[in-house]
Amino acid sequence: MARYQFEPFDYVTPPELSGAASASAPVIIVGAGPIGLAAAIDLATHGVASIVVDDNNVVSVGSRAICWAKRSLEIFDRLGVGERMLEKGVTWKLGRVYRGDREVYNFDLLPEDGHKFPAFINLQQYYVEQFLVERCADFPDLIDVRFKNRVLSVGQDETGVTAEIDTPDGAYTLRGEYLLACDGANSRIRRQFGLDFEGRHFEERFLIADVEMEADFPSERWFWFAPTFHPGQSALLHKQPDNIYRIDLQLGPDADPEEEKKPENVIPRIEKIVGGRPFKLDWVSVYSFNCRRIDRFVHDRVIFVGDSAHVVSPFGARGGNGGMHDVDNLCWKLAGVVTGDAAPGLLESYNDERVHGADENIRNSSWTSRFMSPEPGIEMAFRNAALSLAVDTAFARRVVNAGRLSVPCQLADSPLNGDDAGGPEVPQKVGMVALDAPLSDRDGRPTWLMNQLGGRFVCLVTGDAEAPADLPGGVELVRIGRGGFGDAEGHVQERYGDAVYLVRPDQHVAARWVAPGVDDIRAALARCAATIAA
Amino acid sequence: MALKTEFNLGTDSDALFNELLQAHEGLSREQSEQLNAGLILIMMNHIGESGIIREAVARARAALDA
Ligand SMILES: Cc1cc2nc3c(=O)[nH]c(=O)nc-3n(C[C@H](O)[C@H](O)[C@H](O)COP(=O)(O)OP(=O)(O)OC[C@H]3O[C@@H](n4cnc5c(N)ncnc54)[C@H](O)[C@@H]3O)c2cc1C
């Protein structure tokens, strides 16, 4: 199968230095990782222009994010790359947990059908970035990606931001209204601002290897506590596209990274896992992990997004997926502020909602890290007790923590939430991302509910409920049943009942009623947009 | 429901206490710790109410300083 070919992106002398007409955009995005690129696309879908600068000129080399969660795929789909990712990625939803060589537990991350996207796909980060860079090119008037443009420092005043940028042709200054710091875990901007990156470092070291081999392993996540092939430590196996497998091996806190990375040490370990199949070592690296975040993500006109704001250990796949939640949450708000439809105060809700989300991710991945590498003594005793019990005692299987994988963040307590005026007892709640369901359009063609939501405020009317005759400006009606889309498999009825929902541009339900008046909807909308221009 | 702090073990209390000790006989310190941990997990699941479990943990912890 054709492997990914790393092709450097072209460096172009920026107009500020070439003498061409100087470009300007309201938003400067620092970092063309998955988060910066996704933010540029999301803003472009709202008609807001950005300049993306990155110090590098290739996609992420080596083994980084592979697991993309259903919610991220829905966001990527809204941005126009979800289907491509799904097609290229390896779909999975089943995780198996072994103790020694015996399975103690397995979990199905999406036990129900009627969703466009699966629980997870595995897809190398370099593909995701490649797809995003290509998608950016669909917005030539709105997205200007500049490689080999390194930000040296950032400043701000009452009316805007400035970034000092270095290039192979020299330095220049960019001015914009807002700046997104998407410059990753070692964020220079975070350091320049003197922001504490508080949290915990885990001493444990992990060897992460990508190996290429022909194998018929199923598309599942396999996690071992103390397998015979790696005594006393844990191991994780994931399948990726192009016949590449990701292997994570816990090494203990005292391992010497340089020593462990040597092929003569790595290869025998992998041979034991793959049981004699021929394989080729693609990438190996030794990591230790942090769970940290900065106190606030919004610093006036400089906003931290993705790894620059928060980092987690990878065992819940919450890093990149958490960053995608940030993008989803921020971009419609920032677009509203830039275009004048919303008050700048709305950005504070990004801070509230995503600090809440980051805490959830940090909590979960810290708990997993602690279960995987307990301190000797009583922590080890509890860990081993749970594992031993799990063999025969059902409840203990759910106590075993081999990773709590990224799930949609619930915003039940968000200040943006409006009414939840009763309504049916259904799975969909206010503050939750909308649940997907298969639909049929007016011509009977199949489509998905998620594809009708997002990008703008939607008044979603399901079943027998009635929307008010005229909706406030800026809200679009989407009706399921009674002359609207068909509820193809009855999932809308089951997930939403008969009700009226206000759905935010990030596909989260902001309010719900049985029979709202136009003022109810206007009030909920005003809450979400701080003050929306009438 | 609140954590029961009044006596609740009927006439078997001395026997049960003794059986706990017996269960640990012949175990290494490490095995004993694991046994205790397993027991706590089983009982915690049996109780199944986070409020009660948290109260129990807090009370046992406070008793360390008594
Ligand atoms: C081993 C491993 C496994 C992982 N597995 C998963 C997983 O399965 N699922 C998941 O969701 N996440 C996973 N993650 C986390 C994921 O890789 C990160 O969360 C994700 O890359 C964050 O994206 P980002 O765009 O915020 O930062 P980055 O990807 O780090 O991108 C930052 C960009 O900013 C650029 N930059 C930095 N400084 C400057 C500057 N001064 N000027 C200009 N540009 C600059 C950098 O060159 C880079 O391109 C994993 C991470 C690791 C290490």
Side-chain angles (χ1 to χ4, degrees), chain A residues 99 377-378 380-382 384-386 388-389 393 395 399, chain B residues 30 33-45:
Chain A
R99 188 200 194 176
I378 196 68
M380 185 68 88
F382 272 107
N384 288 346
S388 300
L389 282 170
T393 315
F395 88 85
V399 176
Chain B
E30 210 173 288
E33 278 182 351
Q34 194 178 323
L35 171 63
N36 275 348
L39 266 174
I40 291 168
L41 293 177
I42 290 171
M43 292 188 195
M44 178 164 101
N45 182 65

Side-chain angles (χ1 to χ4, degrees), chain A residues 30-37 53-56 58 60 63-69 72 120 122 125 129 149-152 181-189 208 238 246 248 287 289 305-308 310-312 314 316-323 406:
Chain A
V30 184
I35 301 312
L37 292 168
V53 289
D54 194 279
D55 57 357
N56 208 336
V58 279
S60 169
S63 197
R64 291 180 75 201
I66 57 169
C67 303
W68 301 97
S72 295
F120 271 91
N122 287 346
Q125 184 162 334
E129 293 182 14
N149 275 238
R150 178 193 302 274
V151 169
L152 301 174
C182 307
D183 53 343
N186 296 317
S187 171
R188 179 180 193 129
I189 302 172
I208 299 198
H238 269 288
R246 160 73 57 85
D248 289 41
Y287 290 91
F289 297 107
V305 193
D307 274 14
S308 67
H310 46 72
V311 289
V312 292
R318 290 170 179 265
N321 287 303
S406 176

